[in-house]
Amino acid sequence: MATINELRERIHAESSEEIVHEYLEKIAESKLNAFITVSGESALARARKIDSEGHEGPLAGIPIAIKDNISTKGIRTTCASKILTGYIPPYDAHVIERLKEAGAIIIGKANMDEFAMGTSTETSFYGATKNPWDIERVPGGSSGGSAAAVAGDDVPLALGSDTGGSVRCPASFCGVVGLKPTYGVISRYGLIAYANSLEQIGPFATSVRDVATLFDVIAGYDARDSTSVKRDVNYSSAMKNDVRGLKIGVPEEYFGEGTDEKVEKAVRDAIHKLEDLGASLKDVKMPHTKYALASYYIIAMSEASSNLARFDGMRYGLRVEDSDWHTTFSQVRAAGFGDEVKRRILLGTYALSAGYHDKYYLKALKVRTLIKQDFERAFKNVDVLITPTMPYPAFRLGEKIGDPLSLYLADVDTVPINLAGVPSISVPCGFSEGLPIGMQIIGKHFDEATILRTAYTFEENTDFHIKQPEGV
Ligand code: GLN
């Protein structure tokens, strides 16, 4: 596995074309089904162009995989759904514009749960992605293709999106680093919406430094996203091996029922490691955590039911010819959406309907405020919070897909962060029977610098991130 710096050296010594070619070969041989589309020809053409123009930009000539719900001009974008069959976006998402300016090369579109709804990458119309540590297991979701591709060394960098954990969950299951930034730091322009008030695009890499470099490239103000914020930060400058004086909060609510013993032990050991390195620990109370899942799923499904109304067979993708528009509309949606997407549209529509709106949707919004206040109170006394990312390591393919509720429960430690809009990062912190375990470091709004520094210090003083899966 190569870091950005190592790849830059190789690109200077050899060429970007050679590097891209190598990765394309790995993707062609991969057993992971991490990609929906491989844009090999355009990637090689761009690599040759960058080679001939000199290697300008922080990611010059370096390949990257993009989750398939992020719009890429001229490269088909499916959201892993049948309903977007044949759709080729006429424009780039803001993050793609930024990547191109930085010299990065889009090598393909990564597999995901359909419309980013899921925790296992099993709801994809293009088949499940497999976990590189054990191909009988899920890579996590919904950005499972992005995380598996990085962990399996099909690509050095990837982007995902995180509405309720979809960057951090697969980062944890695949043993890579994944960041969910503060809401508003990265433009959502060109990200095909699932639940707008919760989601952010986030970077994946095998090291904290590379995540910070990629984050520097894609973060920044964009007038086309009304929730985009103006802030100039240099995240790479947070790469300091120093946590002396750092105050870490450990919320017991995140180590509750259902948390695997080995996961709990690995995360507590990691916290003590940081204590040995000079941080201090504090118990914090986050009493509304137990309501987070219910609040999240009502809000996410309500927003989804409204966002997905645009897929009507008239404007994009799949078409069904019929006599009148409403038959066409219902037929195309019946044929084009998978079961999980339909379930969420139905539940979301129900929660928003007259008579139930106050009972469910407004109640969920009130709970969201209480959860946000839990974080505000906690951050008066501590600099970061540390919890498990996921309550257990990767489960088996097929193990939970028939039981949606048990899949929703897996998000117990990640969804509160999206409800509050704060940043958090998942970093490898141990193994259980050969499967990676992730630790989640949560920060104050706009304080990515502190969580990156904490993660970097942990990484510099441990070797969990060095182990690699074999034979994929
Ligand atoms: N598993 C969560 C859900 O299904 C999170 C998905 C996401 O972050 N996109 O909603």
Side-chain angles (χ1 to χ4, degrees):
M1 277 196 209
T3 63
I4 292 178
N5 281 338
E6 287 160 1
L7 286 170
R8 284 175 64 88
E9 278 174 27
R10 279 197 56 200
I11 288 168
H12 281 291
E14 302 160 51
S15 68
S16 166
E17 187 180 358
E18 265 169 83
I19 306 287
V20 170
H21 192 75
E22 261 176 39
Y23 278 108
L24 285 170
E25 279 187 347
K26 285 193 203 171
I27 294 171
E29 284 161 19
S30 170
K31 301 174 191 151
L32 302 173
N33 194 29
F35 286 86
I36 292 176
T37 303
V38 180
S39 43
E41 273 176 34
S42 65
L44 286 168
R46 202 167 133 68
R48 282 192 286 272
K49 188 157 183 282
I50 288 172
D51 286 336
S52 69
E53 286 172 356
H55 303 116
E56 300 282 319
L59 300 177
I62 298 180
I64 183 165
I66 307 295
K67 186 176 183 180
D68 209 19
N69 59 351
I70 298 175
S71 304
T72 42
K73 187 175 176 176
I75 305 176
R76 79 168 170 157
T77 298
T78 69
C79 286
S81 181
K82 186 177 174 191
I83 209 160
L84 277 174
T85 302
Y87 171 60
I88 298 177
Y91 69 101
D92 276 329
H94 178 75
V95 291
I96 302 296
E97 292 171 354
R98 290 211 157 216
L99 284 172
K100 287 184 175 171
E101 277 162 32
I105 295 182
I106 291 148
I107 201 164
K109 304 298 295 286
N111 203 0
M112 55 184 278
D113 280 298
E114 186 179 1
F115 283 103
M117 299 174 186
T119 310
S120 62
T121 314
E122 290 171 288
T123 69
S124 169
F125 176 65
Y126 298 90
T129 296
K130 297 177 176 104
N131 189 314
W133 294 88
D134 176 353
I135 58 167
E136 310 265 291
R137 289 179 188 265
V138 303
S142 63
S143 317
S146 304
V150 171
D153 203 22
D154 286 357
V155 73
L157 302 172
L159 291 188
S161 68
D162 190 312
T163 313
S166 281
V167 166
R168 291 159 289 154
C169 159
S172 168
F173 282 7
C174 292
V176 296
V177 184
L179 172 70
K180 198 292 281 182
T182 307
Y183 188 74
V185 166
I186 295 181
S187 168
R188 286 179 294 107
Y189 176 76
L191 170 68
I192 298 173
Y194 156 24
N196 325 42
S197 80
L198 297 158
E199 59 210 3
Q200 278 287 285
I201 292 170
F204 288 100
T206 51
S207 70
V208 177
R209 181 182 292 282
D210 284 359
V211 157
T213 303
L214 182 51
F215 185 37
D216 264 340
V217 167
I218 60 174
Y221 178 69
D222 173 25
R224 296 165 300 185
D225 172 357
S226 60
T227 61
S228 173
V229 290
K230 280 194 179 129
R231 287 207 169 223
D232 280 331
V233 188
N234 177 349
Y235 300 104
S236 296
S237 65
M239 296 301 101
K240 294 197 183 79
N241 181 355
D242 185 5
V243 288
R244 283 171 302 170
L246 183 82
K247 288 188 247 120
I248 300 175
V250 184
E252 284 309 313
E253 292 82 355
Y254 283 75
F255 294 82
E257 197 194 324
T259 307
D260 178 280
E261 270 173 33
K262 290 202 174 122
V263 169
E264 169 155 7
K265 180 165 185 319
V267 175
R268 290 199 193 276
D269 286 352
I271 293 169
H272 290 301
K273 178 83 200 177
L274 289 165
E275 193 181 17
D276 291 344
L277 293 166
S280 61
L281 307 187
K282 264 187 186 265
D283 282 339
V284 294
K285 294 268 171 292
M286 313 221 40
H288 299 98
T289 307
K290 56 179 177 288
Y291 306 115
L293 271 176
S295 161
Y296 167 81
Y297 272 98
I298 288 172
I299 294 169
M301 291 183 189
S302 300
E303 292 187 23
S305 86
S306 147
N307 278 321
L308 270 57
R310 75 191 62 165
F311 301 103
D312 54 11
M314 307 283 171
R315 288 172 275 201
Y316 334 82
L318 196 66
R319 289 193 79 88
V320 174
E321 298 304 333
D322 211 294
S323 48
D324 54 74
W325 71 266
H326 39 91
T327 319
T328 302
F329 186 99
S330 59
Q331 282 191 359
V332 97
R333 288 165 72 83
F337 288 136
D339 288 349
E340 183 58 28
V341 173
K342 284 181 190 156
R343 178 181 297 117
R344 293 186 186 209
I345 292 172
L346 283 172
L347 287 169
T349 307
Y350 181 82
L352 288 176
S353 57
Y356 294 107
H357 181 266
D358 292 6
K359 198 170 162 194
Y360 296 113
Y361 182 65
L362 286 186
K363 192 61 154 272
L365 290 183
K366 287 179 186 160
V367 171
R368 180 177 192 170
T369 302
L370 294 173
I371 288 166
K372 209 168 157 199
Q373 288 167 353
D374 276 0
F375 281 95
E376 283 162 5
R377 258 193 309 275
F379 282 129
K380 287 204 173 110
N381 301 314
V382 299
D383 303 310
V384 298
L385 296 162
I386 297 189
T387 73
T389 305
M390 299 301 290
Y392 33 70
F395 44 88
R396 290 186 184 282
L397 285 155
E399 186 179 326
K400 290 184 189 285
I401 194 71
D403 180 3
L405 269 184
S406 84
L407 264 181
Y408 301 167
L409 287 173
D411 300 334
V412 60
D413 297 331
T414 52
V415 298
I417 285 77
N418 302 71
L419 289 167
V422 292
S424 86
I425 189 167
S426 180
V427 286
C429 75
F431 288 88
S432 168
E433 282 147 37
L435 299 171
I437 296 172
M439 149 168 83
Q440 171 167 248
I441 308 171
I442 308 160
K444 298 174 190 170
H445 284 110
F446 305 109
D447 195 16
E448 277 82 354
T450 303
I451 59 172
L452 285 165
R453 175 165 59 87
T454 310
Y456 179 74
T457 305
F458 182 74
E459 192 179 82
E460 284 290 291
N461 291 282
T462 54
D463 58 9
F464 302 110
H465 61 292
I466 293 167
K467 294 212 178 83
Q468 288 178 28
E470 282 161 20
V472 286

